[in-house]
Amino acid sequence: MKSYGQLCAVARALDIVGDRWTMLVIRELLIQGPLRFGELQGGLPGVATNLLTQRLRELEEHGVLVRESVRRSSGSTMYRLTERGEALEGVIRELLKWGAPTVSEAPAESIFQMHWLSQPARYLLKDHRPQEPASTIRFGNFDDGFDLTASDGNIEVRPCSRDAQLRAVVSGPRQVLVGLLQGAIDLAAAIACGVEVQGESAALIRVLPQTGTPSSADQDNSLPSR
Amino acid sequence: MKSYGQLCAVARALDIVGDRWTMLVIRELLIQGPLRFGELQGGLPGVATNLLTQRLRELEEHGVLVRESVRRSSGSTMYRLTERGEALEGVIRELLKWGAPTVSEAPAESIFQMHWLSQPARYLLKDHRPQEPASTIRFGNFDDGFDLTASDGNIEVRPCSRDAQLRAVVSGPRQVLVGLLQGAIDLAAAIACGVEVQGESAALIRVLPQTGTPSSADQDNSLPSR
DNA sequence: CTGGATCCGGGAAGATACTG
DNA sequence: CAGTATCTTCCCGGATCCAG
């Protein structure tokens, strides 16, 4: 898009990352790590291929990402954020903190992908039992989800890993999961709305926001030995 | 613009503030406080009136700002950020932190307005002499500038005030001021490049980033009793 | 004179078909 | 799979016009 032509740091940033789809490309690469063209397209439903190409070229020119030819077998190219690109994490974080309250107002036909919840989870969830041993939960499934680890009071999120030691696997309807992570509803209500927790629900409770009313879900049911 | 149609906090935020010019409208209102249509237009060189109208309507619909009819004399309307709108400060802050290094790469013919430096000043400058009494500096002039106060280790910026007690007034060429505030050049170099400091230059040095080489400007010349 | 609304040309975005 | 080419649609930008 055309430059704003202003000698201002905000305008300069928007000259580079202010175009339509651009920040969502950054989001995908921040969440999922290096991706191929098709994978990127999959996380950006509705983007035209020519437009995605154009955005990737522009971001490459500005040093936000790099094209990497994978040498194995054929020349499949990967897109990877540079250090400069990863520095956009702060912008993404502030955008999602601001946008989170409006997710519930999204058009009903909105598309949902579980991995989009990984950054909100990182910022909205906390490890409420720091003294307990590290514990990893999977949200969603391997094809679209993320692994969240609570340890020493910290929360980390990563793309799903084959060899993660999972204490629990969480899945369910889109809107309910969003509300659960934001603390808008508690676990008992979420389960009533169709959320399924396989494994130790205590591992999930450990990181969920505390909702106002200490519900029956708090003392929980069992810790099945896994 | 069209919604991304994604159940994702980042996409939802961009649905609201991702359109062209929108974040710059927010920037103006954050920096300058409530403004009239024409004042807004003045801080957004190149925006078409119809487009500005449209953006203001959209932001009003989303509860980011409110139109206020000033009852005095004729019906001049003011635009003021709501609490929700002011919550975008974090997004602006992260954008400017990311964009600051690229300001020097801006097109040569870029427009400059002094008040655009006020937010960078707020985040890039520090009060290095917290024990000294509060001290206010004006950057630019009353028509386009801002007042910066250092006190108790904190930095505050405000639109220019008629009754501010000024220790110093700083002006000079655009690019040099940008470099000075970012610590890319030191005060001695800035003065050599045309920056003028009227009053106590010590008041300016108190808040400037420390450049690598402790230059002659550091021990400074005098503190004229004012 | 400020605060807009209307009109229109050019260009960016969206959809889809096509190719190495 | 990773784009390119093409066409349509819609938004942006600039000028002009209108109302209080």
Side-chain angles (χ1 to χ4, degrees):
Chain A
M1 197 180 293
K2 207 172 103 179
S3 164
Y4 288 107
Q6 297 184 1
L7 214 58
C8 160
V10 178
R12 285 299 297 155
L14 292 173
D15 281 345
I16 298 172
V17 298
D19 290 349
R20 187 157 169 83
W21 291 107
T22 301
M23 283 308 295
L24 296 188
V25 171
I26 307 292
R27 176 197 67 187
E28 288 301 308
L29 292 172
L30 267 179
I31 292 177
Q32 309 215 59
L35 293 176
R36 294 185 301 176
F37 188 90
E39 294 170 323
L40 214 31
Q41 198 181 4
L44 303 169
V47 71
T49 57
N50 58 352
L51 191 52
L52 180 53
T53 300
Q54 185 181 329
R55 290 291 175 270
L56 290 169
R57 295 284 182 278
E58 292 163 357
L59 290 174
E60 189 183 8
E61 281 176 24
H62 287 108
V64 173
L65 53 79
V66 287
R67 279 169 59 110
E68 292 178 338
S69 290
V70 179
R71 44 205 73 266
R72 70 159 72 179
S73 63
S74 70
S76 170
T77 65
M78 302 276 289
Y79 295 89
R80 176 194 303 269
L81 289 180
T82 62
E83 194 170 332
R84 176 90 181 129
E86 289 177 353
L88 282 163
E89 188 197 320
V91 178
I92 291 281
R93 182 186 63 239
E94 293 299 322
L95 279 173
L96 86 81
K97 280 165 63 178
W98 192 83
T102 73
V103 170
S104 54
E105 305 163 14
E109 68 278 15
S110 294
I111 298 158
F112 176 74
Q113 296 188 24
M114 183 69 79
H115 72 267
W116 294 337
L117 275 178
S118 71
Q119 293 302 93
R122 178 173 175 192
Y123 299 117
L124 299 175
L125 303 191
K126 295 199 188 325
D127 181 7
H128 295 111
R129 307 202 202 285
Q131 71 286 3
E132 294 188 10
S135 155
T136 298
I137 308 169
R138 173 161 300 166
F139 290 82
N141 55 48
F142 192 86
D143 289 332
D144 181 36
F146 58 96
D147 291 344
L148 180 145
T149 300
S151 69
D152 299 329
N154 297 315
I155 295 284
E156 288 179 15
V157 294
R158 282 185 305 282
C160 289
S161 160
R162 291 279 179 206
D163 45 40
Q165 299 288 329
L166 301 176
R167 296 288 183 94
V169 177
V170 183
S171 59
R174 43 173 74 178
Q175 285 282 16
V176 187
L177 287 169
V178 171
L180 181 65
L181 292 196
Q182 292 181 195
I185 59 177
D186 63 20
L187 181 56
I191 288 173
C193 294
V195 164
E196 289 184 37
V197 182
Q198 298 163 15
E200 309 169 26
S201 55
L204 178 57
I205 291 164
R206 172 172 174 178
V207 298
L208 284 180
Q210 316 286 9
T211 52
T213 58
S215 77
S216 63
D218 258 351
Q219 64 266 25
D220 186 42
N221 43 342
S222 78
L223 282 106
S225 66
R226 168 177 178 76
Chain B
M1 197 179 297
K2 206 172 105 179
S3 164
Y4 287 106
Q6 298 183 0
L7 215 57
C8 160
V10 178
R12 286 298 299 156
L14 292 173
D15 281 344
I16 298 173
V17 297
D19 290 350
R20 188 160 169 81
W21 292 108
T22 301
M23 283 307 295
L24 296 187
V25 171
I26 307 293
R27 176 197 68 187
E28 288 301 308
L29 292 172
L30 267 179
I31 292 177
Q32 309 214 60
L35 294 175
R36 295 186 302 174
F37 188 91
E39 295 170 323
L40 261 174
Q41 200 179 3
L44 304 169
V47 71
T49 58
N50 59 350
L51 193 52
L52 181 53
T53 300
Q54 185 181 329
R55 290 291 175 269
L56 291 169
R57 294 283 183 278
E58 292 163 357
L59 290 174
E60 189 183 8
E61 281 176 23
H62 287 107
V64 173
L65 53 79
V66 288
R67 279 168 57 108
E68 292 179 338
S69 290
V70 179
R71 44 205 75 266
R72 66 160 75 182
S73 63
S74 70
S76 170
T77 64
M78 302 277 289
Y79 295 89
R80 176 194 304 269
L81 289 181
T82 62
E83 194 170 334
R84 175 92 181 127
E86 288 177 352
L88 283 164
E89 187 197 320
V91 179
I92 292 280
R93 183 185 63 238
E94 294 299 321
L95 279 174
L96 85 83
K97 280 165 62 178
W98 191 83
T102 73
V103 171
S104 54
E105 306 163 13
E109 68 278 14
S110 293
I111 299 160
F112 176 73
Q113 296 189 23
M114 182 68 79
H115 72 268
W116 293 339
L117 275 177
S118 71
Q119 293 301 92
R122 179 174 174 190
Y123 298 117
L124 299 174
L125 304 191
K126 295 200 188 324
D127 181 7
H128 296 111
R129 307 203 200 285
Q131 73 285 5
E132 295 189 9
S135 155
T136 297
I137 309 170
R138 172 160 300 166
F139 289 82
N141 54 50
F142 191 86
D143 288 332
D144 181 35
F146 58 95
D147 292 344
L148 179 146
T149 300
S151 70
D152 300 329
N154 297 315
I155 295 284
E156 289 179 13
V157 294
R158 282 185 304 281
C160 289
S161 160
R162 291 280 179 208
D163 45 39
Q165 300 287 329
L166 301 176
R167 296 287 184 96
V169 177
V170 182
S171 59
R174 43 173 77 177
Q175 284 282 16
V176 188
L177 288 169
V178 171
L180 181 65
L181 291 196
Q182 293 184 359
I185 60 177
D186 63 19
L187 182 55
I191 288 173
C193 294
V195 165
E196 289 185 38
V197 182
Q198 298 162 14
E200 310 169 25
S201 54
L204 179 56
I205 291 162
R206 173 173 174 178
V207 298
L208 284 182
Q210 317 285 11
T211 52
T213 57
S215 77
S216 62
D218 256 352
Q219 64 265 27
D220 186 41
N221 43 341
S222 80
L223 282 105
S225 67
R226 166 172 180 82

